[in-house]
Amino acid sequence: RGACTTVAWASGGVAVEQAANGSVIAYLVADSYNHRVQRCAPAEGGACTTVAGGHGSGRAKNQLNDPRGVALEQAADGSVVAYLVLDYGNNRVQRCAPAEGGVCTTVAGGNGEGSAANQL
């Protein structure tokens, strides 16, 4: 398992952050076994930074457990407002705003596995 910022161990999903002209700004990678989401430069061997999780597996606001997908919430001008993360191991979707420094809020689920209206 890789723990440095450029290694993804068992990637769960990828999203693309693009400029208004369509050029790639960064790739967002759900790094499942390292319990984090990485934002990676588009160049080959580009450096990555952790934008969500990365504090071990867990349920705290700055932790993820086996993230499997990531999507972008963008403003009208295309800037990233938040990363939406499918936190599979915690049965929830987390909204992680860059301005919040890696602290996320639960926007769906988070009440255990199941078929109730508040579960995933």
Side-chain angles (χ1 to χ4, degrees):
R1 295 184 190 201
C4 72
T5 59
T6 57
V7 177
W9 180 256
S11 300
V14 176
V16 180
E17 182 181 340
Q18 294 180 297
N21 68 3
S23 64
V24 175
I25 295 171
Y27 297 103
L28 286 297
V29 181
D31 185 2
S32 298
Y33 291 169
N34 286 317
H35 312 290
R36 65 186 179 182
V37 173
Q38 296 284 85
R39 184 177 184 270
C40 303
E44 183 175 337
C48 300
T49 56
T50 301
V51 295
H55 300 278
S57 176
R59 296 185 53 80
K61 290 183 178 189
N62 67 346
Q63 292 180 305
L64 301 170
N65 180 6
D66 192 11
R68 299 267 182 106
V70 61
L72 300 173
E73 179 183 330
Q74 295 178 283
D77 67 0
S79 62
V80 174
V81 175
Y83 307 108
L84 300 169
V85 182
L86 173 59
D87 188 9
Y88 180 81
N90 287 319
N91 305 98
R92 65 186 181 183
V93 175
Q94 294 290 87
R95 183 180 184 273
C96 309
E100 298 297 320
V103 175
C104 305
T105 56
T106 302
V107 295
N111 297 296
E113 181 179 356
S115 60
N118 65 347
Q119 294 178 310
L120 297 175

